[in-house]
Amino acid sequence: MRLPRLLCCLLLLPLLWLGQAQAKVRPYDDMVASGVLRVAVYDKFPPYSFQQDGQPRGVDVDLAKRLAEGLGLRAEFLWMVPGESLDDDLRNFIWKGHYLRPGVVADLMLRVPYDRNYSNKRNDVGELANAQVVMFGPYQRERWQVVHDARRLPQVSSIAAFREHRIGVELDSVPSFYLGSVLGGQLSAMTVHFPSTQEAFDAMRAGKVDAVMALRGELDWMRAQAHDEQLKNAENTYPNLGEPAWDIGMAVHESNRQLSNAIDGELEDLVHSGELEKLYAGYGLRYELPEFYQDTQ
């Protein structure tokens, strides 16, 4: 006899809770003994982390492999589907685990904003929201970017160009909200929303929009794949955009500072040797030093 759906869910709840409670953070010595570094990266997020022909690819994937090799380990990947917030991702992959993956958390997570205000964020009762996480290792500076098709829009002298030219954005993204509100909402009528940045970019190539606004890394990758010299980067600024550029780093559990210290040393070598910049160039991306390293130059 089939149990009612609600009863099934109630019976499963203790098992789901138990699975989450059993997630165990591995000490550094256990990682070394296993020969494996478990790294959490976002799935379906080219050029940073994605799977092609069953193989992991992307800048973050390659960086994780280099870091693991430097520690004498092999990188093993846990693929993340973004939660409602970064807090969710840190909880599910760094310190608590997820009921769909009981007993397993990552040793290291990539593509975490390296931001003091976020690290010190407090919850509703005044406690650190991510007290069980150490955010460290800035390795890239990311920016918002506009790419335009010079055949229909020869130049973008300012964001005001999109009073008359259609621009594509990913739905519910920062560019979506920004273009809908900047200049008193004057650009909203010419802002076209798509399910993904790739679909917005494809629409530009098809002549449906004249430009796209998205993450610089994503657009660099798409331009490199398109092999079209008429797709140009706009070099204008974005007035009233709160965070036009920010640093990207890593995260480990707060008990794994030995791991974060070891990775910091490997990362510093990759940055100063120029190897990290070459890694980005291999995917057609421009590399910009995080502010942490700019201050030490």
Side-chain angles (χ1 to χ4, degrees):
M1 182 179 70
R2 287 187 180 179
L3 292 170
R5 181 176 297 177
L6 178 59
L7 181 56
C8 288
C9 292
L10 290 173
L11 291 173
L12 279 171
L13 280 175
L15 296 177
L16 299 181
W17 178 86
L18 180 61
Q20 285 188 287
Q22 288 178 335
K24 182 180 179 182
V25 177
R26 300 194 305 167
Y28 184 67
D29 288 346
D30 288 1
M31 299 174 210
V32 173
S34 73
V36 171
L37 181 70
R38 295 179 188 153
V39 185
V41 293
Y42 287 103
D43 196 12
K44 299 177 182 177
F45 189 27
Y48 298 117
S49 45
F50 58 103
Q51 300 181 64
Q52 188 174 59
D53 300 325
Q55 297 299 314
R57 289 202 63 210
V59 174
D60 286 353
V61 166
D62 290 356
L63 173 58
K65 288 179 178 178
R66 303 278 184 95
L67 293 172
E69 288 170 4
L71 301 179
L73 305 174
R74 172 179 58 84
E76 180 181 279
F77 296 98
L78 301 181
W79 296 95
M80 298 186 291
V81 175
E84 291 294 321
S85 69
L86 178 59
D87 291 354
D88 292 339
D89 299 340
L90 291 167
R91 179 182 64 250
N92 291 335
F93 286 88
I94 289 296
W95 62 269
K96 186 173 184 179
H98 195 281
Y99 68 85
L100 293 177
R101 194 186 58 257
V104 178
V105 289
D107 305 316
L108 175 70
M109 177 174 162
L110 298 190
R111 201 138 297 272
V112 177
Y114 183 77
D115 180 87
R116 185 179 299 276
N117 291 331
Y118 181 76
S119 298
N120 294 329
K121 184 179 69 170
R122 302 277 171 170
N123 60 22
D124 294 340
V125 296
E127 300 170 334
L128 284 173
N130 292 292
Q132 299 192 62
V133 177
V134 173
M135 294 173 231
F136 73 105
Y139 61 91
Q140 177 208 342
R141 191 153 178 81
E142 184 65 278
R143 293 180 178 272
W144 298 111
Q145 178 73 59
V146 168
V147 167
H148 60 102
D149 191 323
R151 286 167 290 234
R152 298 185 301 277
L153 178 57
Q155 63 179 359
V156 180
S157 57
S158 77
I159 205 73
F162 301 110
R163 290 190 181 111
E164 301 176 356
H165 291 270
R166 289 158 68 86
I167 181 168
V169 295
E170 183 176 358
L171 186 67
D172 293 334
S173 64
V174 170
S176 169
F177 294 117
Y178 172 68
L179 292 171
S181 60
V182 73
L183 301 182
Q186 296 178 43
L187 312 184
S188 59
M190 302 301 282
T191 302
V192 184
H193 297 86
F194 296 90
S196 68
T197 299
Q198 184 65 63
E199 289 173 80
F201 190 87
D202 292 342
M204 177 177 64
R205 298 194 67 199
K208 297 177 182 178
V209 296
D210 298 332
V212 175
M213 184 175 181
L215 292 174
R216 178 174 66 180
E218 286 186 291
L219 292 176
D220 280 357
W221 162 257
M222 292 173 192
R223 285 187 63 218
Q225 299 300 300
H227 302 291
D228 185 345
E229 294 183 357
Q230 293 303 310
L231 302 180
K232 307 288 188 181
N233 290 316
E235 301 301 334
N236 56 288
T237 58
Y238 308 108
N240 301 320
L241 180 56
E243 289 288 344
W246 61 99
D247 288 348
I248 297 294
M250 313 177 191
V252 299
H253 191 271
E254 59 86 21
S255 65
N256 262 334
R257 293 177 186 272
Q258 187 176 359
L259 174 61
S260 65
N261 291 338
I263 287 177
D264 265 335
E266 296 297 325
L267 178 62
E268 186 172 353
D269 289 343
L270 292 175
V271 170
H272 290 308
S273 69
E275 188 174 351
L276 189 54
E277 183 174 5
K278 291 178 183 177
L279 188 155
Y280 274 71
Y283 287 87
L285 311 187
R286 291 166 287 171
Y287 179 70
E288 182 178 354
L289 278 174
E291 281 191 335
F292 176 84
Y293 287 103
Q294 291 178 16
D295 294 341
T296 61
Q297 293 292 301

